Amino acid sequence: MTPPAAAATDSRPAARVAVLARQGKFLVAEPFFAPGPRLVVSRDRRANAGDLVMLGGEGRDNGRRSSRRAVITRRLGRPEVARDVIEALMLDRGLRRSFDPAVEREARLAAEAPAATSAENDLAGRRDLRDLPTFTIDPSTAKDFDDAISAEALGDGSWRVWVHIADVSAYVPSRSLVDREAYRRGTSVYVPGAVEPMLPGSLSNEACSLVPGIPRLAVTVEMTIGEGGARRSSMYRSVIRSDVRLDYDRVDGIFAGTEAAAAPWGDPLAAARAAAAVLAAHRERGERRRGGSVLVVDSAEAEFGFDADGNVVAAEISEQTESHRLIEQLMITANERVATFLQDHKIPTLYRVHERPDAPAVERLIDQLHSLGVPTPAVPKGHLTPQQAADIVGEASALVSEWVARTGHGRRALTSLVLRSLKQAYYDSRNLGHAGLASPCYCHFTSPIRRYPDLICHRGLLSAIAGEPAPEASWVTNSGPWTSQRERAAMTIERDADDVARCFLLVRAGDRDAAFGGEIVGLIGAGAFVAFGERLQYEGMLPVRRLRGDWWELNEEATMLIGTRSGAAMRLGDEVSVTVGRIDAPRGRVDLLPADAVEE
């Protein structure tokens, strides 16, 4: 049986992004993101000197010359405009930025066919939950809504919670053109101001998205939650109608009492809040009973704002709050229940695997934290078992979180140390557990609009509860490495695009000679990576060659640079003062200079 992987590898040459310049009577293209030779380009009325363009294969200059020249396939904009450069970066990394017309057409037809209306035949095999109060909670910038929540208090110290997930499989048949393209992409890629969606917009932003006020097809996980966690669950296809689209800031305001919750979703939101708190407490008690600790990772992400001309004008640091944790707890529990069901029924699926850390990596983490004066858990003598190593990392992460809260600095650097001690999560047809969540059985089920592994889990579940064909075991096994690879590639693009946006924001801020307060977030032998700015929204490199009067060496734990003459030290998490040197916005790089002498 031929899997969609047949469409997964793209044989076309990678796009070449260049900036045009005039050289005598010729127009030449100079590679934009990486060094390379200049290319003479064929005349093109769409582009002029100074423009950012994408180059295709070589061609003749209007057929009049025998020499072959690079051909401009698309004008991308200007290299001084952040949105244009981010678009160019996505193309340079192999993202298509559009769908084949045949895929778009199939998606539009699918979106129109099974629309959830009042017609009774549209409810065949589904529970009608359109009158059940329902809400979504997402970032304020979100356009596709995978999940919605309903909840009620049962009066006996327990709650009933419905987690509704977009029924993407109803619109995307296995092996269809849309399915093959979704598999090839593997995941949506989110960059500042743009997204490369896994599914065409007629599905991702419209038919599948659980927008308020419109009936939508869903797969619902219904759970009874009490002090012992999720006690019972059932899963079925449904039709829902969201009453309101909430965002994290608004929900946090409701929880803080600055805004009132309205009917009909106010009481369900309160019930969901209580159920999520019980789930979090249950998970923590379970870890304490077995002598371990839940991994605590304090994360913060930048959300960038753009003006109408495509310039970055703001960067807000988004931190995890109670509203984030509410959704996280409910989604984790739904994912666990689905994964356990699939395992119990021996249905081929992709599990989300996070193996327990290796003992040497954990021992190094403890040495690194100790060198910085951060409290650490006791480490048993002798060889650590994988479970002991996982428990120690969990304890260490909790101590790091407490230390950061007490001292007010070091979060980014110390969190990075904890994360580097862990193995990378991936997708696999074997259930090997999720150490980071302390979950024995876990999958990704709750985001099928933007992740292909979730769609595989949906099809596996629906084979049992709706009689649909189960995914072929060998195909599922082969899907694990591919979807893991696509996830890692997306993360790299997203990280690099964030760096580009930060650089453009820094250029726009001006005042290059001003001193910025900063914090050391990483170290290598060549220098220190420093997050700086009022909200530490920028990041740059402070080379040791710029630090006059001493010779700096990295210590064995790679946690500090030590001056061999003075004995002064630059430690992870230390506060420093810097000025901006060179900004290379297309590559997302900032070179820093010391604003004052480094003190011991």
Side-chain angles (χ1 to χ4, degrees), residues 226-480:
E227 291 301 321
R231 296 199 293 258
R232 292 184 299 276
S233 62
S234 59
M235 302 151 200
Y236 46 85
R237 272 183 154 160
S238 61
V239 178
I240 69 164
R241 179 167 43 219
S242 174
D243 293 285
V244 64
R245 180 216 164 173
L246 302 173
D247 61 52
Y248 292 119
D249 290 340
R250 185 178 179 188
V251 173
D252 285 326
I254 292 170
F255 291 167
T258 59
E259 180 180 343
W265 51 267
D267 288 342
L269 175 62
R273 182 188 191 186
V278 166
L279 288 171
H282 171 70
R283 189 175 299 275
E284 188 173 340
R285 283 196 303 271
E287 282 297 286
R288 283 202 300 265
R289 277 197 300 271
R290 69 175 184 80
S293 179
V294 174
L295 185 66
V296 179
V297 178
D298 296 322
S299 61
E301 298 180 358
E303 295 181 359
F304 297 93
F306 291 77
D307 64 16
D309 296 322
N311 300 303
V312 184
V313 295
E316 296 295 330
I317 305 301
S318 174
E319 300 183 2
Q320 273 222 332
T321 62
E322 185 183 358
S323 62
H324 293 83
R325 291 189 290 271
L326 182 158
I327 292 297
E328 182 181 64
Q329 288 296 331
L330 297 182
M331 296 304 122
I332 286 174
T333 304
N335 285 333
E336 287 177 325
R337 303 300 286 190
V338 170
T340 301
F341 180 94
L342 293 171
Q343 177 178 252
D344 290 347
H345 288 76
K346 297 180 172 54
I347 299 170
T349 195
L350 283 184
Y351 296 94
R352 183 62 170 178
V353 171
H354 188 205
E355 295 182 80
R356 290 172 293 194
D358 292 328
V362 174
E363 291 166 349
R364 177 167 175 77
L365 169 65
I366 299 304
D367 290 341
Q368 289 176 316
L369 295 176
H370 181 73
S371 72
L372 295 169
V374 179
T376 59
V379 178
K381 292 183 179 180
H383 178 72
L384 292 176
T385 67
Q387 187 57 60
Q388 286 176 319
D391 291 341
I392 289 171
V393 172
E395 282 189 71
S397 70
L399 291 171
V400 163
S401 182
E402 293 170 4
W403 192 86
V404 168
R406 185 172 65 254
T407 63
H409 63 87
R411 179 182 63 185
R412 197 177 305 180
L414 298 180
T415 297
S416 179
L417 289 181
V418 172
L419 291 176
R420 284 204 297 270
S421 73
L422 303 172
K423 293 185 178 180
Q424 191 170 32
Y426 60 95
Y427 296 106
D428 201 289
S429 58
R430 302 165 297 167
N431 175 30
L432 303 176
H434 196 296
L437 296 173
S439 178
C441 191
Y442 194 72
C443 71
H444 275 168
F445 170 81
T446 52
S447 295
I449 291 177
R450 63 182 180 89
R451 291 187 305 224
Y452 198 87
D454 301 56
L455 186 52
I456 292 176
C457 290
H458 273 243
R459 288 175 176 153
L461 176 64
L462 292 170
S463 72
I465 66 174
E468 299 194 355
E472 184 180 307
S474 61
W475 176 77
V476 171
T477 298
N478 292 332
S479 298

